[in-house]
Amino acid sequence: MLSCSRIMLRQGLCTGARALAAPIQFTNYIHTTHVQKDETSASGALIEAAKGMRVIPTRGQAAKEKLYGFVQDLCKQNLGEEGARYFPFALGLFTTIGFCNVTNLLPYIEMPTQIIGCTVAMSTTLIAGLTIKCIAKHKLDFASFFFPPGAPVGLALLLVPVETISFFSRAVSLGVRLGANLTAGHMILHIISDFGAQMLASGTAGGAIGGVLCTAALVPVCILEIAVAVVQAYVFCMLTTMYLNDAHELH
């Protein structure tokens, strides 16, 4: 037992001496720490999603790449050089809202984007965060939002209230636009389907024909609603990036 412990101690000392004598590889440790730190962040999620990619893409991979490039171009157009910095945020915002909008079309499912109160709360939170970021970056220059530089001082009593209302109305208009468009589409589907069901329940030949036509009309309306759901997610993400650019550049 003593001999075994002496051998193990001797091997440990020799290994430790060799480790101290060898050059220290900081790169591996830094790289490992960086990857572990980013596993739960937006950039880490993108790295995880990129695993298993092929040189010749499958249909699913091609769809991912199209979505990636689409949101990346949107960020570059609206944010310029800052676009790459906020790309994970914009991608997550677009995919989340788009998924909720499309899922709203399924029967007996109600997602948060269909409720105007939820969409207004989301947009208010975004605008509040952008306002705080703008104040933290520009300090007192933030007041230029409400009185543009170069404007006549005599128009201050008119411009300041108008610009103030315009700035803070973003929080409401951004959410109402999203919720109202989805609610309007659902109301159209409900009216057509209810009208068709009543015509079928009438028991007449004309009612049967009208019910079949109403049922057939639901197909293009549903396709239109899917397009509206995707477009509204794009509009919400586009306006958010534009407001973010305003917070950076004080436009």
Side-chain angles (χ1 to χ4, degrees), residues 26-246:
F26 287 105
T27 306
N28 293 335
Y29 295 105
I30 295 173
H31 178 71
T32 303
T33 305
H34 178 70
V35 171
Q36 290 178 352
K37 182 179 179 181
D38 283 347
E39 284 177 353
T40 56
S41 65
S43 58
L46 290 175
I47 294 174
E48 290 295 325
K51 289 183 177 179
M53 292 291 187
R54 301 179 180 179
V55 177
I56 302 177
T58 60
R59 292 181 179 178
Q61 180 179 337
K64 291 179 182 178
E65 292 175 355
K66 288 290 184 180
L67 176 62
Y68 182 98
F70 175 75
V71 179
Q72 190 177 44
D73 292 339
L74 176 65
C75 292
K76 287 182 179 179
Q77 292 174 2
N78 294 330
L79 292 169
E81 297 180 355
E82 295 286 339
R85 179 180 179 185
Y86 294 100
F87 168 72
F89 166 73
L91 180 62
L93 187 66
F94 177 79
T95 53
T96 301
I97 295 178
F99 173 78
C100 291
N101 291 352
V102 175
T103 307
N104 276 327
L105 300 174
L106 298 177
Y108 307 107
I109 294 180
E110 186 175 17
M111 300 298 285
T113 53
Q114 188 182 352
I115 305 171
I116 295 181
C118 292
T119 57
V120 172
M122 179 172 59
S123 61
T124 302
T125 304
L126 285 173
I127 298 301
L130 294 181
T131 303
I132 294 172
K133 181 177 180 61
C134 183
I135 294 174
K137 180 178 181 180
H138 299 286
K139 303 299 188 295
L140 294 178
D141 292 337
F142 171 74
S144 63
F145 265 120
F146 312 112
F147 190 75
V153 180
L155 296 177
L157 295 177
L158 178 63
L159 286 177
V160 172
V162 171
E163 293 295 332
T164 303
I165 295 173
S166 175
F167 179 82
F168 289 104
S169 64
R170 296 176 176 181
V172 179
S173 62
L174 191 61
V176 169
R177 182 185 295 105
L178 175 61
N181 280 280
L182 298 179
T183 303
H186 282 70
M187 290 179 64
I188 294 174
L189 288 174
H190 178 74
I191 291 171
I192 294 176
S193 59
D194 186 58
F195 184 65
Q198 290 182 8
M199 294 185 71
L200 289 174
S202 64
T204 61
I209 296 174
V212 171
L213 292 177
C214 289
T215 304
L218 289 175
V219 176
V221 174
C222 287
I223 296 175
L224 178 63
E225 282 302 299
I226 294 174
V228 169
V230 177
V231 169
Q232 288 304 314
Y234 165 74
V235 170
F236 193 96
C237 185
M238 179 187 64
L239 291 176
T240 301
T241 53
M242 291 176 64
Y243 295 156
L244 185 58
N245 183 53
D246 291 345

